[in-house]
Amino acid sequence: MELFNIFKGKQQNRRTDTRELEGMKRSEQRDVVPVKKMLKNSSPNEAGLYPHEVLLLSYAPTYYIDQKSYPTFWWSRYGVKNIDKLLKSLKKQGFLKVGSIESAISNETTENLEEVLYAKDLKVFGGKSDHVQRLMEELSAAQLDSLFPRRTYELTDLGKKVLAANGHIPYIHHHSILHLDIWSLDEKVKDNPGYAYRDIIWEYMNKKSLKYYKHSEFGKYRNCRFKMAEFLEEEGKDDSAFIYLAEVIRIDLSGVSNGFSMDYLETYAAAYFPYTKSRATVASHITEKIKAYQLKNALTDDALRTKLITPMNRLQLPFSIFTTEEAADIVVKEIRGEREGLKRLYHKAQERFDNDYGLA
């Protein structure tokens, strides 16, 4: 009887879990905004295409003509369900065509191509492009058709032209920048003809960061400045990116965040000290960026400290656990892996904090 009750209980839990999962799925379905609704606040480009259609052009060369399933982001992020129908529509409008045998081969993995080369007693060396070229040169059209029967879509000249003119759409799809998406950025680009989309994104981020700073939303300000640093890195502007990273470090080591208030310093202190438990530290990926910059520019530790302190001093904060000199020293010690030195530095800051704010 007891075993039966246990089994019954487990079965009931399974049913509950199933209902919960179904409920979660229904909730996710409700959260998705169908593309038809998004189109009400969007306008087509000069070619008559909407943002999601342009994005599909960028993915089309990786999709097979007979493909039946597609990545879930088309629905979860853009509310698009019938990708196959949309691809056929783009083909009918002249933006896509059935791909060549070369595009079909190029869509295969390097591993698959190497297996074919081995099987046909052909040389296997070089990269993927070399494999494709060798197969095209050494095998007949009939052999290639037999080995690679599936065809992908391919951009027509018109499709290439449209995609080249709307590079902001695949860019923002692949990069998470604040609240921008393919719809909102596309409208901003249309509202600012003649401006490069990267300049538009930069202006957007800069305005956002200044707004966050003005309203003392330091966590949001920090995250925005980090995005700006990454944006500059993409453009090869490492010196400028370094300045923004220095700001990020300054905030991370200050102890301030969104909604910061001096009234709760005693509560915050538990998250400040000691070093081994502190949340006021430099993120490892940022340490690696600074380390790479130091190596690239052959900076001594002292030179790195000086270079960090200058932009740190320009950022005014209502409170900071560490001085800018200490913050720069922490970065150097993190790069060097000097944990004992870091512990001492945090202990020194804790003693000062306790004395200054009567918490000793």
Side-chain angles (χ1 to χ4, degrees):
M1 184 68 177
E2 290 178 357
L3 287 173
F4 174 76
N5 287 336
I6 292 172
F7 178 74
K8 184 179 178 182
K10 288 182 178 179
Q11 291 288 76
Q12 189 172 4
N13 287 338
R14 287 197 189 98
R15 287 197 294 273
T16 301
D17 292 343
T18 301
R19 287 196 296 271
E20 288 176 354
L21 287 172
E22 290 174 349
M24 289 171 64
K25 288 179 180 178
R26 286 195 296 271
S27 176
E28 289 174 359
Q29 292 283 331
R30 287 195 297 270
D31 292 341
V32 172
V33 180
V35 69
K36 286 184 179 180
K37 188 172 182 180
M38 297 302 299
L39 295 182
K40 293 179 180 179
N41 298 314
S42 182
S43 57
N45 59 26
E46 293 180 354
L49 298 183
Y50 287 92
H52 68 293
E53 294 173 310
V54 174
L55 182 62
L56 187 53
L57 288 180
S58 72
Y59 275 95
T62 67
Y63 294 157
Y64 289 103
I65 301 296
D66 60 352
Q67 192 163 324
K68 300 301 180 184
S69 62
Y70 298 89
T72 57
F73 73 76
W74 286 111
W75 170 248
S76 62
R77 292 178 63 180
Y78 304 118
V80 182
K81 277 188 174 180
N82 200 332
I83 298 299
D84 188 55
K85 181 180 179 181
L86 194 53
L87 285 166
K88 286 180 170 60
S89 173
L90 291 170
K91 179 175 176 289
K92 186 176 181 180
Q93 295 177 72
F95 299 104
L96 296 174
K97 61 183 179 181
V98 176
S100 64
I101 184 63
E102 185 173 357
S103 67
I105 298 172
S106 298
N107 207 44
E108 293 289 334
T109 64
T110 301
E111 184 180 0
N112 287 345
L113 295 181
E114 288 177 349
E115 288 180 3
V116 174
L117 289 168
Y118 277 122
K120 296 299 180 181
D121 291 325
L122 297 174
K123 294 179 180 179
V124 180
F125 62 85
K128 184 176 181 178
S129 60
D130 298 309
H131 298 341
V132 173
Q133 183 178 354
R134 194 167 301 118
L135 287 169
M136 291 290 295
E137 292 174 351
E138 299 293 337
L139 299 183
S140 67
Q143 286 177 304
L144 291 173
D145 282 333
S146 176
L147 289 166
F148 307 101
R150 301 182 74 193
R151 294 289 184 272
T152 59
Y153 285 95
E154 192 173 321
L155 293 170
T156 62
D157 289 341
L158 177 59
K160 292 176 183 177
K161 181 180 178 181
V162 171
L163 192 56
N166 292 272
H168 59 284
I169 292 175
Y171 176 83
I172 202 62
H173 167 72
H174 291 291
H175 297 79
S176 176
I177 298 179
L178 304 178
H179 303 295
L180 286 176
D181 56 22
I182 63 172
W183 310 101
S184 57
L185 179 58
D186 190 54
E187 290 305 310
K188 289 182 183 297
V189 169
K190 288 171 183 170
D191 290 340
N192 294 275
Y195 285 85
Y197 77 83
R198 292 189 68 88
D199 291 339
I200 294 171
I201 293 174
W202 179 262
E203 183 181 5
Y204 173 80
M205 289 193 292
N206 194 47
K207 285 183 177 179
K208 279 286 187 181
S209 69
L210 295 177
K211 179 182 177 182
Y212 293 147
Y213 182 83
K214 180 180 179 180
H215 294 284
S216 299
E217 295 180 284
F218 299 111
K220 292 181 180 180
Y221 176 82
R222 177 259 186 221
N223 292 339
C224 189
R225 301 303 263 194
F226 179 69
K227 285 292 182 184
M228 294 170 81
E230 289 186 316
F231 197 78
L232 289 166
E233 286 175 341
E234 291 173 6
E235 297 179 342
K237 299 175 180 177
D238 293 344
D239 290 335
S240 297
F242 180 90
I243 293 172
Y244 285 82
L245 288 175
E247 278 196 10
V248 171
I249 293 168
R250 171 83 167 118
I251 294 174
D252 285 347
L253 294 175
S254 69
V256 299
S257 58
N258 296 328
F260 175 84
S261 172
M262 294 293 287
D263 295 334
Y264 301 107
L265 274 183
E266 187 172 358
T267 302
Y268 298 150
Y272 294 161
F273 313 107
Y275 168 72
T276 53
K277 296 181 180 180
S278 179
R279 295 175 64 182
T281 57
V282 184
S284 59
H285 64 281
I286 294 178
T287 300
E288 288 303 314
K289 286 179 180 291
I290 299 298
K291 180 180 179 180
Y293 182 86
Q294 181 183 20
L295 291 172
K296 181 180 179 181
N297 293 277
L299 297 175
T300 64
D301 288 348
D302 286 340
L304 179 61
R305 287 188 185 92
T306 301
K307 201 169 183 66
L308 284 166
I309 289 170
T310 301
M312 285 181 176
N313 279 334
R314 288 200 292 264
L315 181 62
Q316 299 299 310
L317 298 174
F319 168 81
S320 183
I321 304 167
F322 301 100
T323 65
T324 54
E325 290 77 11
E326 288 171 334
D329 201 29
I330 286 172
V331 175
V332 172
K333 291 184 185 302
E334 288 285 7
I335 290 174
R336 300 299 172 213
E338 298 176 8
R339 287 181 61 83
E340 292 305 315
L342 287 163
K343 289 178 183 178
R344 288 193 295 271
L345 217 164
Y346 273 71
H347 180 70
K348 175 185 175 183
Q350 183 175 10
E351 289 183 333
R352 181 176 64 233
F353 176 88
D354 291 344
N355 289 328
D356 289 349
Y357 300 102
L359 300 177

